């Protein structure tokens, strides 16, 4: 059906008829999208079956990437690109009088993730399939993804993200592969033939039903699987006791409460709230995932022998860490292994990625809550803790203090990172500086116990989505200039360095950037009703809203720029358009206040005719993957200004670099490695470094008030937040104002002057057109390192020990 245009057109019209019984003229864009989607899914299914067969028959080692989030973005065009049928489809649709972009635009963004962590999972799936690696995703099929953000009156308003409203063409429900997951109840301990038995009784059960989505590799026949679990209660599983007493409502209530498990994604990024439902979600998908892996393994191998040689389970942060006690439970209670054998298997199967140094993001669960919900799992965690602590006492008889630090259960709480460290064979950070900080500080004691478990895997992003798909003209120009080997070997982009000073290449790079800026300007015109000048610098700050990411620092610089422009209207700064996009967690008040601040500053500046449009401020609502794909290729400047030591890696930084933006940033996360790649002249670094930040934490000595009192620019800007300048009630930004002056652990005022200087440097460089374009090209040339293909290659050989399987 995709062999040529004529076949495709015929299949398209046929499918339109069978699905909707209408003619082309009568059909809507949404129906046309569904038709193209089902054709693509049908087309993919042949290789999907083939890939699965191959994996099962060859018995090759499989990787399962467990993640509570997969921020996929739209899939249709990615499939078309990876299947190498995009151009053909586009032309054929054109011949049918159908606008390709309208069709692509019909697909809802599956927002099954918050931000970087979920997007990383999605990039990894793309790279696994494209590198022919047998690796699959395991997660939750949230009925509602991350909320949709509207800006009303400058404030964030959250609306439910009903992404499944019109159905989902990509998923296949596998009802017959459903498994049961049990909550609550109690455990009866007995003995059979001298062996202890643990019988779980009086539990509530819910069925976990898998929905599979194909993950298509780039031009290689591999189709891996993303398996997302949905909680469903069948009629027969209603609470019969209540039901038989005629309490129909109670039975329905039960069904709803159990199905709530997969209803909605928690909208917290780098923060945990410790809610019972969240713990349910975590155990739900982990238990379902592991049961299905074990079932498949036994089908192939008969027994669980050599399990760890054939299966790798990776946990994306600690959210899926119950994989460790759940695997123990299945191995012992269901498969009859003893503790030591089960522990051996488990600790050789599970590997863990740490994503944060922020203490508010480290998960811990109150023992009482945990025990009530998961009584058998609690017993296993308790036993793991007991044995581990005993081992530590034997090893370090004189010191009691490290035990307090490393114990899994402490002070009435279960510390999930500690469980992950004890129960896995590998723990990695996500950039070099992050891994070093883990070893030195956050997990320092564990590093002294298990130095061999620690390793670094610097993050990456898929260049197929964030370059080939998002910026097709740039991808084409690159291939026309250096050949297309970079698509398979992104490090070949380095050849572009030879063209960094090539005038005609520079002009083509500039032209593509201007085209992308023009498109984004149209989007901004449509969505915000603001006209922006495409010859101004597009300075972009898009990511989740969080104090550590310091959107406020950016705003303070804008306010200062504006103040100086008002003082001196002839100041010849390069015109700039400051573009923001960020969702704030609904309960994170300071973050929401920051959104209002950005919009209030925008109101003042955009409506001031006296500054001749030299600055514009735009907040684009509902930042998601699709918007990232429109915004990033149009960026001149990439804002990566987190407080040093706080951003574990960042991946936005990599997407921008790949699209030729200049980074202004701190020496944090992957910025450090970006600087190392491009050289200090092709990135603008400012601010405290991680060591200086740590020193302030240990020794004190930072007083924001001193800076407020000594730097007039700072005083003026801070005062403007609360003195009516912003045309809002004076209390509007009181909390933010107080935070910056009295409770700021992120050194905003401290880094202000250094940031202003750095921004001045950006302005000057932009004025030197050739130098700017050279820098832009050098950034693209060095972005190969930050392809997730490099990252996944390192996970495959360094952690999982899996090899490619070519599907012919
Ligand atoms: C890449 C990406 C992120 C992560 O951005 P950071 O700058 O690394 O925080 C968040 N959200 C979306 C939609 C993304 O595409």
């Amino acid at each position: 059906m995709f062999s040529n245009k004529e076949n495709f057109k015929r299949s398209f019209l046929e499918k339109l008829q069978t699905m909707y019984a209408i003619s082309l003229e009568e059909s809507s864009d949404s129906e046309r999208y569904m038709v193209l989607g089902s054709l693509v899914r049908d087309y993919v299914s042949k290789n999907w079956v083939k890939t699965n067969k191959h994996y099962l028959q060859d018995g090759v080692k499989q990787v399962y990437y467990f993640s509570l989030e997969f921020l996929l973005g739209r899939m249709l065009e990615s499939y078309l690109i990876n299947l190498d049928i995009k151009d053909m489809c586009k032309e054929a649709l054109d011949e049918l009088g159908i606008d390709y972009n309208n069709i692509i635009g019909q697909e809802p963004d599956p927002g099954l993730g918050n931000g970087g962590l979920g997007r990383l999972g999605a990039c990894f799936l793309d790279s696994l399939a494209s590198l022919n690696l047998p690796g699959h995703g395991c997660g939750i099929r949230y009925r509602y993804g991350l909320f949709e953000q509207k800006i009303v009156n400058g404030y964030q308003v959250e609306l439910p993200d009903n992404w499944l409203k019109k159905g989902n063409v990509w998923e296949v429900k596998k009802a017959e592969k459903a498994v049961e997951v049990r909550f609550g109840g109690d455990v009866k301990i007995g003995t059979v033939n001298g062996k202890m038995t643990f019988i779980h009784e009086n539990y509530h059960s819910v069925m976990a039903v898998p929905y599979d989505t194909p993950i298509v590799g780039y031009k290689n026949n591999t189709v891996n699987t993303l398996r997302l679990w949905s909680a469903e209660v069948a009629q027969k599983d209603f609470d019969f006791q209540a039901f038989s007493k005629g309490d129909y409502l109670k039975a329905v209530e039960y069904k709803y409460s159990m199905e709530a498990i997969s209803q909605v994604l928690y909208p917290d990024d780098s923060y945990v709230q410790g809610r019972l439902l969240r713990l349910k979600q975590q155990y739900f998908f982990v238990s379902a995932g592991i049961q299905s892996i074990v079932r498949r393994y036994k089908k192939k191998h008969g027994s669980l022998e050599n399990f760890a040689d054939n299966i790798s389970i990776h946990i994306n942060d600690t959210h899926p860490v119950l994989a460790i006690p759940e695997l123990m439970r299945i191995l012992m209670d269901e498969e009859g292994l003893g503790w030591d054998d089960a522990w051996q298997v488990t600790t050789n199967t599970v590997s863990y990625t740490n994503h944060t140094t922020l203490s508010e993001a480290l998960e811990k669960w109150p023992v009482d809550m945990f025990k009530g919900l998961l009584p058998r799992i609690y017993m296993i965690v308790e036993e793991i803790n007991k044995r581990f602590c005993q081992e530590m006492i034997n090893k370090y008889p004189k010191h009691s203090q490290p035990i307090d630090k490393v114990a899994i259960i402490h002070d009435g709480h279960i510390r999930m990172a500690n469980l992950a460290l004890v129960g896995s064979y590998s723990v990695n950070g996500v950039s070099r500086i992050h891994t070093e900080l883990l070893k030195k500080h956050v997990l320092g004691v564990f590093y002294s116990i298990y130095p061999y478990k620690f390793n670094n895997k610097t993050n990456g992003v898929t260049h197929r989505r964030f370059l080939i798909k998002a910026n097709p003209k740039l991808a084409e120009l690159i291939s026309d200039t250096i050949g297309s080997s970079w698509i398979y070997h992104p490090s070949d982009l380095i050849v572009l360095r030879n063209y960094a000073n090539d005038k005609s290449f520079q002009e083509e790079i500039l032209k593509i950037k201007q085209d992308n800026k023009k498109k984004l300007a149209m989007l901004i015109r449509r969505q915000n009703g603001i006209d922006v000048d495409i010859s101004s610098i597009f300075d972009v700050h898009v990511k989740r809203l969080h104090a550590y990411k310091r959107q406020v620092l950016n705003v303070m610089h804008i306010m200062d720029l504006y103040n100086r422009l008002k003082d001196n209207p002839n100041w010849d700064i390069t015109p700039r358009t400051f573009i923001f996009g960020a969702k704030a967690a609904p309960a994170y008040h300071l973050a929401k206040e920051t959104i209002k601040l950005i919009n209030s500053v925008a109101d003042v500046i955009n409506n001031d005719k006296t500054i001749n449009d030299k600055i514009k401020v735009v907040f684009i609502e509902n930042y998601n993957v699709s918007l990232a794909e429109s915004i990033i290729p149009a960026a001149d400047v990439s804002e990566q200004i987190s407080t040093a030591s706080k951003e574990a890696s960042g991946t936005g930084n990599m997407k921008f670099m790949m699209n030729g933006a200049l980074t202004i940033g701190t020496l944090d996360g992957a910025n450090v490695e970006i600087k190392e790649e491009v050289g200090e002249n092709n990135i603008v670094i400012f601010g405290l470094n991680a060591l200086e930040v740590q020193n302030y934490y240990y020794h004190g000595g930072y007083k924001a008030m001193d800076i407020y009192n000594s730097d007039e620019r700072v005083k003026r800007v801070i005062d403007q937040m609360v003195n009516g300048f912003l045309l809002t009630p004076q209390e509007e930004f009181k909390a933010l104002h107080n935070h910056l002056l009295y409770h700021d652990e992120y050194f905003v005022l401290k880094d202000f002057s250094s940031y202003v200087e750095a921004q001045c440097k950006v302005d000057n460089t932009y004025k030197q057109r050739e130098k700017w374009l050279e820098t832009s090209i050098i950034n693209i040339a060095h972005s190969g390192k930050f392809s997730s293909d490099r990252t996944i290659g390192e996970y495959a050989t360094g952690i999982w020990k899996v090899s490619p399987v070519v599907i012919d």
Side-chain angles (χ1 to χ4, degrees):
M1 59 191 124
F2 288 99
S3 52
N4 61 50
K5 279 192 282 186
E6 293 314 313
N7 278 341
F8 170 71
K9 284 195 273 187
R10 196 175 328 112
S11 310
F12 187 88
L13 295 173
E14 272 170 26
K15 195 80 170 181
L16 191 59
Q17 213 165 63
T18 51
M19 276 177 77
Y20 296 106
I22 48 174
S23 66
L24 183 59
E25 295 70 38
E26 294 170 289
S27 62
S28 67
D29 281 340
S30 156
E31 286 162 341
R32 292 166 181 183
Y33 159 72
M34 292 300 279
V35 166
L36 179 55
S38 3
L39 284 176
V40 170
R41 202 199 49 213
D42 292 351
Y43 183 59
V44 159
S45 56
K46 202 172 102 207
N47 278 335
W48 203 1
V49 171
K50 200 195 262 184
T51 304
N52 279 330
K53 222 178 227 163
H54 230 297
Y55 289 165
L56 198 63
Q57 275 164 8
D58 297 4
V60 284
K61 187 169 189 180
Q62 305 286 306
V63 182
Y64 296 92
Y65 193 82
F66 278 54
S67 179
L68 207 45
E69 305 184 11
F70 287 97
L71 189 51
L72 296 171
R74 289 181 179 146
M75 300 298 284
L76 176 55
E77 192 172 38
S78 270
Y79 286 132
L80 296 179
I81 289 170
N82 286 9
L83 294 166
D84 200 17
I85 54 174
K86 178 183 154 186
D87 293 340
M88 188 275 287
C89 287
K90 204 169 169 176
E91 285 169 27
L93 288 170
D94 196 48
E95 288 171 19
L96 289 172
I98 298 173
D99 185 315
Y100 170 83
N101 289 318
N102 282 351
I103 303 300
I104 297 292
Q106 292 301 312
E107 181 172 359
D109 243 73
L112 308 186
N114 269 286
L117 176 145
R119 183 55 234 174
L120 186 76
C123 283
F124 281 4
L125 295 181
D126 185 70
S127 286
L128 280 163
S130 295
L131 295 174
N132 299 299
L133 290 164
H136 314 278
C138 178
I140 293 180
R141 179 181 180 269
Y142 299 105
R143 180 65 190 75
Y144 295 92
L146 185 61
F147 64 87
E148 194 189 322
Q149 178 192 56
K150 286 257 178 273
I151 300 298
V152 179
N153 242 330
Y155 298 100
Q156 165 175 300
V157 172
E158 302 94 23
L159 302 175
D161 166 36
N162 191 1
W163 71 291
L164 288 169
K165 187 168 50 190
K166 293 187 175 175
N168 172 6
V169 264
W170 310 123
E171 67 186 12
V172 180
K173 179 176 180 173
K174 298 274 172 71
E176 77 290 0
K177 296 206 163 143
V179 298
E180 187 189 39
V181 179
R182 300 170 173 185
F183 294 100
D186 31 58
V187 179
K188 201 165 89 190
I189 304 174
T191 43
V192 172
N193 302 331
K195 227 174 147 183
M196 284 175 95
T197 57
F198 301 88
I199 314 284
H200 194 179
E201 295 178 331
N202 305 318
Y203 50 82
H204 296 297
S205 76
V206 62
M207 293 310 287
V209 181
Y211 289 72
D212 289 354
T213 299
I215 304 295
V216 172
Y218 184 77
K219 298 188 192 176
N220 68 356
N221 298 327
T222 292
V223 182
N224 289 334
T225 301
L226 168 59
R227 175 161 282 185
L228 299 176
W229 297 92
S230 176
E232 296 177 12
V233 175
Q235 190 79 25
K236 68 173 176 53
D237 299 324
F238 267 42
D239 188 348
F240 268 113
Q241 260 194 321
F243 207 54
S244 59
K245 276 190 237 138
D247 200 344
Y248 170 74
L249 287 179
K250 207 172 163 194
V252 174
E253 215 171 79
Y254 173 73
K255 178 176 159 79
Y256 269 72
S257 75
M258 293 312 276
E259 292 186 343
I261 292 171
S262 58
Q263 275 301 301
V264 62
L265 166 72
Y266 275 91
D268 299 322
D269 192 67
S270 304
Y271 186 79
V272 288
Q273 291 209 35
R275 304 276 274 274
L276 181 67
L277 184 60
R278 169 83 169 193
L279 184 58
K280 280 189 193 170
Q281 291 185 332
Q282 295 185 352
Y283 181 67
F284 168 75
F285 95 99
V286 155
S287 174
I290 293 194
Q291 288 185 59
S292 97
I293 291 166
V294 168
R295 188 177 54 196
R296 181 185 174 283
Y297 187 84
K298 281 172 71 180
K299 183 168 136 193
K300 162 77 188 163
H301 299 265
S303 77
L304 287 180
E305 235 170 289
N306 305 323
F307 186 82
D309 296 333
N310 291 288
I311 303 286
S312 245
I313 292 175
H314 197 86
I315 58 175
N316 193 20
D317 212 315
T318 56
H319 318 145
V321 75
L322 296 181
I324 291 165
E326 175 65 2
L327 185 54
M328 289 294 286
R329 182 189 70 79
I330 292 173
L331 293 172
M332 295 187 302
D333 297 0
E334 293 179 9
E335 302 297 332
L337 268 67
W339 181 277
D340 291 337
D341 288 341
W343 187 243
Q344 178 78 14
V345 172
T346 301
T347 52
N348 282 307
T349 300
V350 180
S351 47
Y352 154 63
T353 296
N354 174 287
H355 280 274
T356 188
T357 60
L358 302 177
S359 56
E360 66 268 32
L362 289 177
E363 291 193 288
K364 47 187 188 3
W365 294 100
V367 164
D368 292 338
M369 183 197 279
F370 192 102
K371 205 171 169 173
L373 187 69
L374 305 167
R376 178 59 183 140
I377 294 298
Y378 180 71
M379 290 169 72
I380 293 169
V381 172
E382 210 175 21
E383 184 67 19
I384 293 172
N385 183 51
K386 196 180 99 191
R387 288 175 185 239
F388 171 66
C389 288
Q390 191 55 55
E391 197 185 313
M392 289 304 105
I393 290 164
N394 298 343
K395 213 161 153 184
Y396 309 99
K398 300 230 167 62
H399 308 275
S400 67
Q401 196 254 351
I403 301 262
D404 280 355
K405 281 206 170 140
V406 294
I408 297 165
I409 303 173
H410 179 76
D411 202 14
H413 286 81
I414 302 174
R415 300 193 284 207
M416 305 299 250
N418 296 31
L419 178 57
L421 270 139
V422 174
S424 65
Y425 66 90
S426 167
V427 47
N428 71 280
V430 289
S431 72
R432 194 175 62 221
I433 187 178
H434 169 55
T435 301
E436 290 309 309
L437 287 167
L438 291 180
K439 296 200 281 195
K440 277 202 205 78
H441 303 281
V442 190
L443 304 175
V445 185
F446 279 110
Y447 181 57
S448 69
I449 302 168
Y450 303 125
Y452 52 89
K453 289 191 184 183
F454 284 72
N455 62 91
N456 176 245
K457 298 287 171 280
T458 297
N459 281 168
V461 299
T462 168
H463 60 290
R464 286 167 292 275
R465 179 176 288 266
F466 290 105
L467 182 45
I468 299 171
K469 175 175 185 288
N471 201 344
K473 289 272 154 48
L474 178 58
E476 201 181 307
L477 172 64
I478 295 170
S479 291
D480 287 347
T481 309
I482 63 167
S484 51
S485 68
W486 65 274
I487 295 176
Y488 288 98
H489 306 287
S491 58
D492 288 355
L493 285 169
I494 197 66
V495 181
L496 285 173
R497 265 212 92 132
N498 301 333
Y499 297 84
N501 294 302
D502 181 316
K503 295 283 162 321
S504 80
F505 187 71
Q506 287 186 347
E507 285 311 309
E508 302 206 60
I509 287 284
L510 177 64
K511 186 176 169 311
I512 289 167
K513 184 64 79 181
Q514 293 307 106
D515 277 356
N516 293 335
K517 286 168 78 172
K518 202 192 257 168
K519 283 198 193 120
L520 181 59
M522 277 157 48
L523 184 149
I524 291 170
R525 169 77 243 170
R526 249 191 344 264
Q527 298 206 353
N528 297 58
I530 298 172
D531 284 312
V532 298
D533 175 4
I534 65 162
S535 67
S536 67
I537 300 174
F538 276 21
D539 179 321
V540 182
H541 202 166
V542 288
K543 49 183 75 246
R544 281 302 288 266
L545 216 141
H546 202 295
Y548 85 82
K549 291 177 182 278
R550 299 201 293 191
Q551 280 91 352
V552 169
L553 179 58
N554 188 341
V555 177
M556 285 180 63
H557 166 251
I558 298 170
M559 293 170 77
D560 175 57
L561 208 56
Y562 176 74
N563 289 338
R564 283 184 286 157
L565 213 46
K566 292 295 275 183
D567 293 349
N568 176 10
N570 295 322
W571 189 25
D572 73 328
I573 56 161
T574 315
R576 251 204 240 208
T577 303
F578 293 94
I579 296 167
F580 290 88
K583 290 181 183 175
Y588 191 171
H589 299 292
L590 279 178
K592 293 178 110 172
E593 214 167 280
T594 306
I595 290 176
K596 176 64 177 169
L597 177 68
I598 296 168
N599 287 313
S600 303
V601 169
D603 275 348
V604 170
I605 294 180
N606 298 344
N607 293 314
D608 185 340
K609 299 279 183 298
T610 71
I611 57 162
N612 282 322
D613 291 339
K614 280 185 188 161
I615 332 177
K616 285 273 166 79
V617 182
V618 177
F619 188 99
I620 299 179
E621 68 186 5
N622 202 41
Y623 182 57
N624 61 13
V625 176
S626 289
L627 276 170
E629 291 169 29
S630 299
I631 295 170
I632 294 170
D636 295 307
V637 175
S638 161
E639 297 278 350
Q640 307 300 335
I641 62 176
S642 54
T643 309
S645 79
K646 300 298 175 185
E647 188 75 271
S649 160
T651 49
N653 46 5
M654 302 167 184
K655 301 169 198 165
F656 280 99
M657 172 199 198
M658 211 170 251
N659 285 278
L662 170 65
T663 303
I664 179 168
T666 47
L667 282 177
D668 200 17
N671 298 352
V672 176
E673 289 160 76
I674 292 177
K675 175 186 164 220
E676 216 167 79
E677 289 292 313
V678 300
E680 61 184 359
N681 294 325
N682 297 296
I683 185 169
V684 180
I685 297 292
F686 72 95
L688 296 174
N689 64 33
L691 187 64
E692 290 163 338
V693 168
Q694 300 292 329
N695 280 337
Y696 275 117
Y697 288 143
Y698 288 120
H699 308 300
Y702 170 55
K703 274 222 196 71
M705 193 51 96
D706 292 347
I707 297 171
Y708 170 84
N709 284 322
S710 62
D711 187 331
E712 275 173 47
R713 301 166 306 177
V714 171
K715 182 168 189 310
R716 188 165 169 194
V717 167
I718 293 284
D719 289 349
Q720 284 171 332
M721 290 184 189
V722 290
N723 69 6
F725 166 85
L726 290 172
L727 315 173
T728 52
Q730 306 213 349
E731 318 78 66
E732 191 77 58
F733 305 112
K734 194 105 196 19
L736 201 50
H737 174 266
N738 281 350
H739 193 86
L740 289 170
L741 285 179
Y742 305 106
H743 311 285
D744 177 25
E745 64 237 88
Y746 298 115
F747 303 94
V748 173
L749 270 51
K750 181 78 192 165
D751 275 349
F752 177 81
S753 71
S754 158
Y755 180 57
V756 170
E757 223 173 281
Q759 285 289 19
C760 184
K761 207 161 135 191
V762 169
D763 182 290
N764 286 330
T765 316
Y766 198 80
K767 288 192 169 98
Q768 304 159 251
R769 186 183 146 101
E770 282 173 22
K771 164 77 188 119
W772 183 274
L773 290 168
E774 178 190 337
T775 290
S776 174
I777 295 164
I778 289 174
N779 270 272
I780 302 167
H782 286 274
S783 67
K785 162 164 178 181
F786 302 102
S787 164
S788 46
D789 288 6
R790 189 268 312 146
T791 314
I792 282 297
E794 291 175 9
Y795 275 91
T797 50
I799 300 178
W800 303 326
K801 320 285 180 205
V802 287
S803 350
V805 180
V806 175
I807 311 294
D808 40 53

